[in-house]
Structure formats: C-alpha cells, structure tokens
Amino acid sequence: MSDTEERDVEVLPIDSVALWEGCILASCVHSVMLTEYPFTLREHAWSGELYMTETSEGKAALVFDEKKGLVLGMFCLYASERNGLVITEQYAGSHYREAPSDIQEMALMLSQLFEEGEEEKKLPYVTTGFWQEDGQILSRDDEEDWLIHGGRILERQMATFEESMPYYEEICSMDERRVEIAERIYRERIASHEGSVMLTKEEIEVLREAGPYNMEICQETFEQFGVVFEA
C-alpha cells in the first residue's frame, strides 16, 4: 500500500466554478439527447449539489457548495493500477487522510456510491480524490497522477464551452435545433441565481419528436439540475 502511504498533499490547478459550468453543460447536452438515447441515463446525474458521471472509463463524483465551489471529488478509473490495491474498507478513505474531519466523514459516506462486488464482499473502489481547504483544491496526488488515476474522466467537463460544444455536436449527432436548446439552457442556468430555467413548450416538442416514450425520464433528469418544463 506504499502508493497511498508515501504521497504528500499537492495543490491541483482546478477552477471550481469553471468545472461546475462544464458539468452543467454536459448535463444539458445529455438531457437534451436523452429522449433519443435513453440508455445513457446514468452518464450524468445530480442530487442537490452532488454531481455524478459514469462512463465506460469509470465513475466520478463531485460535491459543490451553494456558491459553485468544490468541496470534494472522488474517482474510480477502471484501468487504474490502483484497483489492485482495493483490499480493505479503509482504502477509499486513505485518499483524504490529511483532510479535515468533516471532509473525511463526507468521503466515507460518498464512497458507498463506489461500492462493487458481491453483497457480502462489497468494497468502495476509489482510485484518487481531492478536497477543498482554505480556497485550494488539495489531493494526495499531483496533477499528473490525479489525471492518470481518475481525473481524466472529467476531461470534457474541464474544457471550455468553445472546446466542448463542437465535440458534443459530433459525438451525439446533435441537430441544429437541439444544439440551440442545449446552449440556451446552459447559458441561462449558469447565470441563474435562483437555480431554475424553463424549457418552453416548443422546445419540449422538439425533444418529444426524438423519443416520445422517454419524456418522463428526460423531465426528471432536467429537474435534477434546475431545468423545468413549461406547463
């Protein structure tokens, strides 16, 4: 377990608000395309200020505060060599050993979302993490190791709007109208102090045309991050 025992605390160059905005953009695109691609339901989810993403590479969970600042980040990269180190229940917490006690307690609870294995042998698989303290994002990994062992799951969320939107358009085969909807709700949501944006009836019909039987899960996913349907 020397991989965790000998690491020093490092400062990661992460812009909390920019990352929050990147998560909102990913969620906007995901929700707009969900009626056509319902099998992607688990790729992006919100529960209050907790954001989770799950891809073929792994899982990531971010906890934000009410001012869009990061509190905690937890990652499991399936291809990380550290997966072979997950042999005790305490391993997940080792990534937060030097964090304040409240962060350690939060990490312990959050690690339950990373449990794998049979019911009687479930363990939290966590390959890297970070926390916020005194305005800095701290980790027991330097930036390179953080990316190698899980941070790369957030590659798209950490990119700018100008970098990400063309990527989403291509990878999701987005038509012009859905691009417009995703961009509008993104810009209004990140500017919203009340944390609420409304999809118009006309926009709702555009989404319905792509998958009328999936509108319920589409609406529920939007509502997770403050986007509601016009009645």
Side-chain angles (χ1 to χ4, degrees), residues 72-103:
L72 180 70
M74 186 172 287
F75 305 82
C76 175
L77 185 73
Y78 300 140
S80 170
E81 62 186 16
R82 291 179 181 170
N83 269 323
L85 299 175
V86 184
I87 57 175
T88 70
E89 294 182 1
Q90 289 75 36
Y91 177 77
S94 70
H95 299 286
Y96 308 91
R97 185 178 299 131
E98 285 81 9
S101 58
D102 59 331
I103 294 292

Side-chain angles (χ1 to χ4, degrees), residues 25-52:
L25 177 59
S27 299
C28 288
V29 172
H30 173 242
S31 299
V32 162
M33 300 304 294
L34 194 55
T35 55
E36 183 173 352
Y37 304 124
F39 53 86
T40 66
L41 179 61
R42 296 180 61 182
E43 288 187 3
H44 304 275
W46 291 83
S47 178
E49 304 304 324
L50 169 64
Y51 167 77
M52 281 204 70

Side-chain angles (χ1 to χ4, degrees), residues 43-192:
E43 288 187 3
H44 304 275
W46 291 83
S47 178
E49 304 304 324
L50 169 64
Y51 167 77
M52 281 204 70
T53 181
E54 183 172 354
T55 71
S56 59
E57 282 195 296
K59 303 177 186 178
L62 302 174
V63 179
F64 293 93
D65 60 27
E66 294 181 353
K67 296 182 179 180
K68 308 171 186 176
L70 282 165
V71 177
L72 180 70
M74 186 172 287
F75 305 82
C76 175
L77 185 73
Y78 300 140
S80 170
E81 62 186 16
R82 291 179 181 170
N83 269 323
L85 299 175
V86 184
I87 57 175
T88 70
E89 294 182 1
Q90 289 75 36
Y91 177 77
S94 70
H95 299 286
Y96 308 91
R97 185 178 299 131
E98 285 81 9
S101 58
D102 59 331
I103 294 292
Q104 293 186 40
E105 292 173 6
M106 188 182 301
L108 179 62
M109 291 187 291
L110 192 61
S111 68
Q112 296 175 28
L113 299 176
F114 289 74
E115 289 181 345
E116 302 286 348
E118 299 177 2
E119 193 63 37
E120 66 277 8
K121 297 181 180 179
K122 279 192 173 181
L123 292 173
Y125 280 61
V126 178
T127 52
T128 189
F130 61 64
W131 69 93
Q132 186 277 136
E133 188 174 352
D134 296 329
Q136 294 182 311
I137 307 302
L138 304 180
S139 176
R140 300 192 70 221
D141 282 316
D142 59 24
E143 183 181 12
E144 181 179 2
D145 281 341
W146 173 68
L147 289 168
I148 288 173
H149 294 290
R152 75 188 197 197
I153 296 172
L154 296 178
E155 177 182 9
R156 191 50 50 193
Q157 289 89 330
M158 291 189 293
T160 65
F161 174 87
E162 290 73 21
E163 293 169 329
S164 292
M165 201 62 209
Y167 168 85
Y168 289 135
E169 288 182 46
E170 180 177 355
I171 201 71
C172 299
S173 300
M174 299 179 74
D175 56 73
E176 183 177 354
R177 191 67 186 97
R178 284 186 285 183
V179 169
E180 292 173 353
I181 295 171
E183 181 171 352
R184 181 189 74 78
I185 59 177
Y186 162 71
R187 295 197 182 282
E188 291 191 14
R189 180 63 186 85
I190 64 172
S192 171

